[in-house]
Short mmCIF file of all heavy atoms in Angstrom, two decimals:
data_model
loop_
_atom_site.label_atom_id
_atom_site.label_comp_id
_atom_site.label_asym_id
_atom_site.label_seq_id
_atom_site.Cartn_x
_atom_site.Cartn_y
_atom_site.Cartn_z
N LYS A 247 115.17 77.41 87.52
CA LYS A 247 115.03 76.03 87.03
C LYS A 247 113.69 75.85 86.31
O LYS A 247 113.63 75.19 85.26
CB LYS A 247 115.14 75.03 88.19
CG LYS A 247 116.55 74.84 88.71
CD LYS A 247 116.60 73.83 89.84
CE LYS A 247 116.32 72.42 89.34
NZ LYS A 247 116.50 71.40 90.42
N LEU A 248 112.64 76.44 86.85
CA LEU A 248 111.33 76.33 86.20
C LEU A 248 111.34 77.07 84.86
O LEU A 248 110.81 76.57 83.86
CB LEU A 248 110.25 76.91 87.11
CG LEU A 248 108.83 76.84 86.54
CD1 LEU A 248 108.39 75.39 86.37
CD2 LEU A 248 107.85 77.60 87.43
N VAL A 249 111.92 78.26 84.82
CA VAL A 249 111.99 79.04 83.59
C VAL A 249 112.74 78.25 82.52
O VAL A 249 112.32 78.18 81.36
CB VAL A 249 112.65 80.41 83.84
CG1 VAL A 249 113.04 81.07 82.52
CG2 VAL A 249 111.71 81.31 84.63
N LYS A 250 113.88 77.68 82.89
CA LYS A 250 114.68 76.90 81.93
C LYS A 250 113.87 75.74 81.35
O LYS A 250 113.89 75.49 80.14
CB LYS A 250 115.94 76.37 82.61
CG LYS A 250 116.91 75.65 81.67
CD LYS A 250 118.17 75.24 82.42
CE LYS A 250 119.18 74.61 81.46
NZ LYS A 250 118.67 73.39 80.80
N ALA A 251 113.14 75.06 82.22
CA ALA A 251 112.34 73.92 81.75
C ALA A 251 111.20 74.38 80.85
O ALA A 251 110.94 73.80 79.80
CB ALA A 251 111.80 73.14 82.95
N ALA A 252 110.51 75.46 81.26
CA ALA A 252 109.37 75.95 80.48
C ALA A 252 109.81 76.53 79.14
O ALA A 252 109.09 76.43 78.15
CB ALA A 252 108.61 77.00 81.30
N ASP A 253 110.99 77.14 79.11
CA ASP A 253 111.47 77.78 77.89
C ASP A 253 111.76 76.77 76.79
O ASP A 253 111.82 77.13 75.60
CB ASP A 253 112.73 78.59 78.20
CG ASP A 253 113.08 79.56 77.09
OD1 ASP A 253 112.17 80.26 76.60
OD2 ASP A 253 114.27 79.61 76.69
N GLU A 254 111.93 75.54 77.15
CA GLU A 254 112.23 74.49 76.17
C GLU A 254 110.97 73.82 75.61
O GLU A 254 111.05 72.97 74.73
CB GLU A 254 113.13 73.42 76.81
CG GLU A 254 114.51 73.96 77.22
CD GLU A 254 115.32 72.96 78.03
OE1 GLU A 254 114.74 71.89 78.37
OE2 GLU A 254 116.50 73.24 78.32
N LEU A 255 109.79 74.22 76.11
CA LEU A 255 108.55 73.56 75.74
C LEU A 255 107.84 74.27 74.59
O LEU A 255 108.07 75.44 74.31
CB LEU A 255 107.61 73.49 76.94
CG LEU A 255 108.11 72.73 78.17
CD1 LEU A 255 107.06 72.75 79.26
CD2 LEU A 255 108.50 71.30 77.81
N SER A 256 106.93 73.55 73.97
CA SER A 256 106.06 74.12 72.94
C SER A 256 104.77 74.59 73.60
O SER A 256 104.55 74.37 74.80
CB SER A 256 105.74 73.06 71.88
OG SER A 256 106.92 72.61 71.25
N LEU A 257 103.92 75.23 72.82
CA LEU A 257 102.65 75.74 73.33
C LEU A 257 101.80 74.62 73.92
O LEU A 257 101.65 73.55 73.32
CB LEU A 257 101.88 76.43 72.20
CG LEU A 257 100.57 77.11 72.58
CD1 LEU A 257 100.84 78.27 73.53
CD2 LEU A 257 99.84 77.58 71.33
N ASN A 258 101.26 74.87 75.12
CA ASN A 258 100.39 73.96 75.87
C ASN A 258 101.10 72.75 76.45
O ASN A 258 100.45 71.87 77.04
CB ASN A 258 99.21 73.49 75.00
CG ASN A 258 98.27 74.63 74.67
OD1 ASN A 258 98.02 75.51 75.50
ND2 ASN A 258 97.75 74.65 73.45
N ASP A 259 102.42 72.70 76.34
CA ASP A 259 103.17 71.63 77.00
C ASP A 259 103.28 71.91 78.49
O ASP A 259 103.21 73.07 78.93
CB ASP A 259 104.57 71.49 76.40
CG ASP A 259 104.56 70.78 75.06
OD1 ASP A 259 103.49 70.27 74.67
OD2 ASP A 259 105.62 70.73 74.41
N VAL A 260 103.47 70.84 79.27
CA VAL A 260 103.56 70.95 80.73
C VAL A 260 104.93 70.42 81.17
O VAL A 260 105.41 69.40 80.68
CB VAL A 260 102.44 70.15 81.41
CG1 VAL A 260 102.58 70.22 82.94
CG2 VAL A 260 101.08 70.69 81.00
N THR A 261 105.54 71.09 82.12
CA THR A 261 106.82 70.65 82.64
C THR A 261 106.65 69.42 83.52
O THR A 261 105.55 69.09 83.96
CB THR A 261 107.49 71.74 83.50
OG1 THR A 261 106.69 71.95 84.69
CG2 THR A 261 107.64 73.04 82.73
N ASP A 262 107.76 68.76 83.79
CA ASP A 262 107.78 67.75 84.84
C ASP A 262 107.71 68.47 86.19
O ASP A 262 107.68 69.70 86.25
CB ASP A 262 109.07 66.93 84.76
CG ASP A 262 109.16 66.11 83.48
OD1 ASP A 262 108.09 65.69 82.98
OD2 ASP A 262 110.29 65.93 82.99
N VAL A 263 107.71 67.74 87.27
CA VAL A 263 107.82 68.35 88.59
C VAL A 263 109.23 68.91 88.72
O VAL A 263 110.22 68.17 88.61
CB VAL A 263 107.53 67.34 89.71
CG1 VAL A 263 107.79 67.97 91.08
CG2 VAL A 263 106.11 66.82 89.63
N ILE A 264 109.33 70.22 88.92
CA ILE A 264 110.64 70.88 89.03
C ILE A 264 110.89 71.17 90.51
O ILE A 264 110.21 71.99 91.12
CB ILE A 264 110.68 72.19 88.24
CG1 ILE A 264 110.28 71.95 86.78
CG2 ILE A 264 112.05 72.83 88.34
CD1 ILE A 264 111.19 71.00 86.02
N GLU A 265 111.87 70.46 91.08
CA GLU A 265 112.16 70.64 92.50
C GLU A 265 113.30 71.62 92.70
O GLU A 265 114.34 71.54 92.06
CB GLU A 265 112.52 69.30 93.15
CG GLU A 265 112.70 69.41 94.66
CD GLU A 265 112.93 68.07 95.33
OE1 GLU A 265 113.33 67.11 94.62
OE2 GLU A 265 112.74 67.98 96.55
N THR A 266 113.10 72.58 93.61
CA THR A 266 114.13 73.54 93.99
C THR A 266 114.26 73.53 95.51
O THR A 266 113.50 72.84 96.20
CB THR A 266 113.77 74.97 93.53
OG1 THR A 266 112.68 75.45 94.34
CG2 THR A 266 113.36 74.99 92.06
N ARG A 267 115.18 74.32 96.01
CA ARG A 267 115.34 74.39 97.46
C ARG A 267 114.10 74.97 98.13
O ARG A 267 113.78 74.63 99.27
CB ARG A 267 116.57 75.23 97.80
CG ARG A 267 116.92 75.20 99.29
CD ARG A 267 118.18 75.99 99.59
NE ARG A 267 118.52 75.91 101.00
CZ ARG A 267 117.96 76.62 101.96
NH1 ARG A 267 117.02 77.51 101.64
NH2 ARG A 267 118.32 76.49 103.22
N LYS A 268 113.39 75.83 97.42
CA LYS A 268 112.21 76.48 98.00
C LYS A 268 110.94 75.67 97.85
O LYS A 268 109.92 75.99 98.46
CB LYS A 268 112.02 77.85 97.36
CG LYS A 268 113.11 78.85 97.71
CD LYS A 268 112.81 80.21 97.11
CE LYS A 268 113.86 81.23 97.51
NZ LYS A 268 113.57 82.58 96.93
N GLY A 269 110.96 74.65 96.99
CA GLY A 269 109.76 73.86 96.80
C GLY A 269 109.68 73.27 95.40
O GLY A 269 110.65 73.32 94.63
N CYS A 270 108.50 72.75 95.06
CA CYS A 270 108.29 72.12 93.75
C CYS A 270 107.35 72.97 92.90
O CYS A 270 106.43 73.60 93.41
CB CYS A 270 107.69 70.72 93.92
SG CYS A 270 108.78 69.56 94.75
N TYR A 271 107.61 72.98 91.60
CA TYR A 271 106.79 73.72 90.65
C TYR A 271 106.36 72.80 89.51
O TYR A 271 107.09 71.87 89.12
CB TYR A 271 107.58 74.87 90.02
CG TYR A 271 108.05 75.95 90.95
CD1 TYR A 271 109.27 75.81 91.64
CD2 TYR A 271 107.31 77.11 91.14
CE1 TYR A 271 109.72 76.83 92.48
CE2 TYR A 271 107.76 78.13 91.98
CZ TYR A 271 108.97 77.98 92.65
OH TYR A 271 109.42 78.97 93.47
N ILE A 272 105.20 73.11 88.98
CA ILE A 272 104.74 72.51 87.72
C ILE A 272 104.13 73.64 86.91
O ILE A 272 103.34 74.44 87.43
CB ILE A 272 103.70 71.40 87.93
CG1 ILE A 272 104.27 70.30 88.82
CG2 ILE A 272 103.26 70.81 86.59
CD1 ILE A 272 103.25 69.25 89.21
N ALA A 273 104.51 73.73 85.62
CA ALA A 273 104.03 74.85 84.80
C ALA A 273 103.54 74.37 83.45
O ALA A 273 103.97 73.34 82.92
CB ALA A 273 105.15 75.87 84.61
N LYS A 274 102.63 75.17 82.88
CA LYS A 274 102.12 74.93 81.53
C LYS A 274 102.34 76.20 80.71
O LYS A 274 101.99 77.31 81.14
CB LYS A 274 100.63 74.61 81.57
CG LYS A 274 100.01 74.38 80.19
CD LYS A 274 98.53 74.03 80.32
CE LYS A 274 97.92 73.77 78.94
NZ LYS A 274 96.49 73.39 79.05
N VAL A 275 102.94 76.04 79.52
CA VAL A 275 103.18 77.18 78.65
C VAL A 275 101.89 77.48 77.88
O VAL A 275 101.39 76.65 77.13
CB VAL A 275 104.31 76.88 77.65
CG1 VAL A 275 104.51 78.05 76.70
CG2 VAL A 275 105.61 76.59 78.41
N VAL A 276 101.34 78.69 78.08
CA VAL A 276 100.06 79.03 77.47
C VAL A 276 100.17 80.10 76.38
O VAL A 276 99.20 80.41 75.71
CB VAL A 276 99.04 79.49 78.56
CG1 VAL A 276 98.71 78.33 79.49
CG2 VAL A 276 99.59 80.67 79.35
N SER A 277 101.36 80.66 76.22
CA SER A 277 101.58 81.62 75.13
C SER A 277 103.06 81.67 74.80
O SER A 277 103.90 81.74 75.71
CB SER A 277 101.09 83.02 75.50
OG SER A 277 101.43 83.94 74.48
N LEU A 278 103.38 81.64 73.52
CA LEU A 278 104.77 81.75 73.08
C LEU A 278 105.16 83.19 72.80
O LEU A 278 106.33 83.49 72.55
CB LEU A 278 105.01 80.88 71.85
CG LEU A 278 104.84 79.37 72.06
CD1 LEU A 278 105.07 78.62 70.76
CD2 LEU A 278 105.80 78.86 73.14
N LYS A 279 104.17 84.10 72.82
CA LYS A 279 104.46 85.52 72.70
C LYS A 279 103.30 86.31 73.30
O LYS A 279 102.29 86.56 72.66
CB LYS A 279 104.67 85.94 71.24
CG LYS A 279 105.11 87.40 71.11
CD LYS A 279 105.41 87.79 69.67
CE LYS A 279 105.87 89.24 69.57
NZ LYS A 279 106.18 89.65 68.18
N ASP A 280 103.50 86.69 74.54
CA ASP A 280 102.51 87.52 75.22
C ASP A 280 102.69 88.96 74.74
O ASP A 280 103.72 89.59 75.00
CB ASP A 280 102.70 87.42 76.74
CG ASP A 280 101.63 88.17 77.50
OD1 ASP A 280 101.74 89.40 77.57
OD2 ASP A 280 100.70 87.53 78.01
N LYS A 281 101.71 89.50 74.05
CA LYS A 281 101.87 90.81 73.39
C LYS A 281 102.14 91.93 74.38
O LYS A 281 103.05 92.74 74.21
CB LYS A 281 100.63 91.12 72.56
CG LYS A 281 100.47 90.23 71.33
CD LYS A 281 99.26 90.64 70.51
CE LYS A 281 99.12 89.76 69.28
NZ LYS A 281 97.91 90.14 68.48
N LYS A 282 101.34 92.00 75.43
CA LYS A 282 101.48 93.08 76.40
C LYS A 282 102.84 93.04 77.09
O LYS A 282 103.53 94.07 77.22
CB LYS A 282 100.36 93.00 77.44
CG LYS A 282 100.35 94.14 78.43
CD LYS A 282 99.17 94.03 79.38
CE LYS A 282 99.16 95.18 80.40
NZ LYS A 282 97.99 95.06 81.33
#
Side-chain angles (χ1 to χ4, degrees):
K247 286 181 69 174
L248 180 64
V249 166
K250 185 177 185 299
D253 195 46
E254 296 172 353
L255 300 181
S256 300
L257 184 64
N258 293 323
D259 283 353
V260 178
T261 66
D262 295 328
V263 174
I264 306 299
E265 186 175 20
T266 72
R267 188 178 182 280
K268 292 183 177 181
C270 295
Y271 297 86
I272 302 173
K274 178 178 181 178
V275 177
V276 294
S277 174
L278 296 178
K279 185 176 181 180
D280 184 282
K281 291 183 179 179
K282 184 177 180 180

